[in-house]
């Protein structure tokens, strides 16, 4: 049986395992939320078998790559579990949080958020490593995030001068285009940053996670998440999400990332150096105080 790829699933019903036929193979899949497709592995492969690089060996082969990208476009978030890869295109996720202030990554955002053109989607993965990942990554549709940010915004913050005169009703938000949503979200985020303490802001965004029905399952080692970032289909946002007060000093597994559509090139494709350089430059700025950003990978594969 093939599973539907739309958004008709009931978010309150546990997702049964099903089978997706793709790339001349059958895959064990489930839909934990309407905008999430989890690929657990190839059907018929024992669950006890160790991880493999089915992501590059099958799903992202040149003949299937665009079809897989369209699956991300129409779904929102595609999660690939039990993948072990040493592919050279990944680089460390930038930015670190401190107890005294939030990093940029703790606010809901698109990758490439300050540029006029954004990556089609971002792939974030938790490599197989000795240390597990204890910090969640919350992911939710852009409009749902903005609606939730308004719904749980404290009354005194909603009355702040920056938001005065803006229609914050659900009906108004439903009518906003992406640019208007970005503008309103920016106003709210800056107000929260200005008016709340670091832990107050983190508590606020935990409420946003819940109100937006965000996906923030714990990271599994060998897991890749393809998050629709700016495309003709579903547009999602994500953030680093501490589910408890951030006290620091806790060992934590690291994440890596890439803009797969722009960086994992098909044979014959040429990179857009100016575009990638602009995105890498922005990423380096977000990682101020850390070591210099690793160079973006630009080569056909």
């Amino acid at each position: 049986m093939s599973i539907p790829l739309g958004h008709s699933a009931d978010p309150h019903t546990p997702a049964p395992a099903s089978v997706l036929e793709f790339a001349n193979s059958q895959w064990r899949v489930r839909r934990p939320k309407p905008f999430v497709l989890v690929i657990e592995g190839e059907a018929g492969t024992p669950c006890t078998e160790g991880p493999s690089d089915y992501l590059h060996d099958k799903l992202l082969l040149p003949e299937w790559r665009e079809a897989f990208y369209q699956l991300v476009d129409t779904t929102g978030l595609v999660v690939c579990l039990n993948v072990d890869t040493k592919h050279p295109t990944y680089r460390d996720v930038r930015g670190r949080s401190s107890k005294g202030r939030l990093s940029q990554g703790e606010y809901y955002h698109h990758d490439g958020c300050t540029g006029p053109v954004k990556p089609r989607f971002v792939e974030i993965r938790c490599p197989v490593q000795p240390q597990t990942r204890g910090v969640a990554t919350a992911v939710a549709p852009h409009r749902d995030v903005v609606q939730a940010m308004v719904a749980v915004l404290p009354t005194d913050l909603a009355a702040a001068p920056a938001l005065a005169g803006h229609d914050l009703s659900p009906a108004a938000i439903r009518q906003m285009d992406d640019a208007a949503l970005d503008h309103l979200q920016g106003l709210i985020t800056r107000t929260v940053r200005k008016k709340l303490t670091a832990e107050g802001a983190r508590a606020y965004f935990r409420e946003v996670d819940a109100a937006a029905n965000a996906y923030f399952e714990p990271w599994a080692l060998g897991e890749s998440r393809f998050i629709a970032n700016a495309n003709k289909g579903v547009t999602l946002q994500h953030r680093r999400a501490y589910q408890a007060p951030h006290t620091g000093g806790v060992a934590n597994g690291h994440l890596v990332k890439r803009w797969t559509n722009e960086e994992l090139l098909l044979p014959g494709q040429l990179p857009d150096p100016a575009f990638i350089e602009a995105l890498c430059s922005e990423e380096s700025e977000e990682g101020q105080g850390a070591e210099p950003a690793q160079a973006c990978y630009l080569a056909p594969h």
Side-chain angles (χ1 to χ4, degrees):
M1 178 180 69
S2 297
I3 66 168
L5 301 181
H7 288 217
S8 59
D10 182 348
H12 305 293
T13 301
S18 189
V19 172
L20 171 67
E21 295 183 5
F22 186 84
N24 289 333
S25 298
Q26 293 187 325
W27 306 91
R28 300 190 312 274
V29 297
R30 51 188 171 86
R31 295 294 297 262
K33 291 184 182 291
F35 58 90
V36 183
L37 174 69
V38 177
I39 300 175
E40 297 179 338
E42 195 165 356
T45 302
C47 296
T48 55
E49 187 172 309
S52 66
D53 195 1
Y54 68 80
L55 183 58
H56 296 93
D57 293 343
K58 292 199 173 184
L59 299 179
L60 291 177
L61 286 176
E63 60 266 35
W64 295 107
R65 196 174 297 176
E66 177 58 28
F68 182 76
Y69 291 174
Q70 290 180 18
L71 179 62
V72 179
D73 289 341
T74 58
T75 302
L77 171 61
V78 174
V79 178
C80 296
L81 299 179
N82 209 33
V83 174
D84 190 8
T85 181
K86 302 298 188 293
H87 205 280
T89 51
Y90 297 101
R91 62 192 183 278
D92 286 342
V93 169
R94 311 307 307 161
R96 298 292 182 268
S97 302
S98 71
K99 291 182 288 183
R101 65 181 180 86
L102 275 66
S103 73
Q104 292 292 333
E106 290 186 70
Y107 303 102
Y108 273 103
H109 64 282
H110 300 293
D111 263 34
C113 58
T114 63
V117 181
K118 302 175 179 63
R120 182 175 178 179
F121 53 82
V122 58
E123 178 192 351
I124 306 175
R125 76 174 269 101
C126 185
V128 176
Q129 57 190 299
Q131 179 62 53
T132 58
R133 175 76 177 177
V135 180
T137 298
V139 186
H142 185 200
R143 191 177 305 275
D144 293 354
V145 169
V146 178
Q147 289 176 329
M149 289 177 69
V150 171
V152 304
L153 191 65
T155 304
D156 57 328
L157 269 63
L163 295 171
H166 289 271
D167 187 349
L168 303 182
S169 67
I173 295 173
R174 285 194 296 270
Q175 297 300 316
M176 290 181 180
D177 59 17
D178 287 342
L181 288 171
D182 280 337
H183 178 66
L184 177 58
Q185 184 175 35
L187 293 175
I188 296 173
T189 297
R190 287 190 289 274
T191 301
V192 168
R193 292 179 66 180
K194 182 178 180 180
K195 299 291 186 179
L196 298 181
T197 65
E199 286 310 312
R202 290 186 175 109
Y204 165 75
F205 278 105
R206 284 194 285 272
E207 290 188 61
V208 174
D209 294 341
N213 192 31
Y215 181 87
F216 52 88
E217 293 296 318
W219 280 98
L221 297 181
E223 173 183 356
S224 273
R225 298 182 184 181
F226 292 82
I227 305 169
N229 183 66
N231 51 41
K232 297 180 181 178
V234 184
T235 297
L236 271 61
Q237 290 188 319
H238 61 283
R239 75 178 195 92
R240 183 186 301 117
Y242 292 94
Q243 296 305 303
H246 178 45
T247 57
V250 178
N252 196 44
H254 74 282
L255 300 177
V256 296
K257 66 180 283 188
R258 65 183 174 186
W259 300 304
T260 316
N261 179 65
E262 289 77 18
E263 296 182 277
L264 188 66
L265 303 182
L266 292 167
Q269 282 187 323
L270 296 176
D272 182 345
F275 175 51
I276 298 296
E277 182 181 357
L279 294 177
C280 289
S281 174
E282 173 186 306
E283 192 165 82
S284 180
E285 292 170 1
E286 289 182 0
Q288 288 177 357
E291 63 274 13
Q294 185 177 334
C296 292
Y297 192 92
L298 290 172
H301 291 276

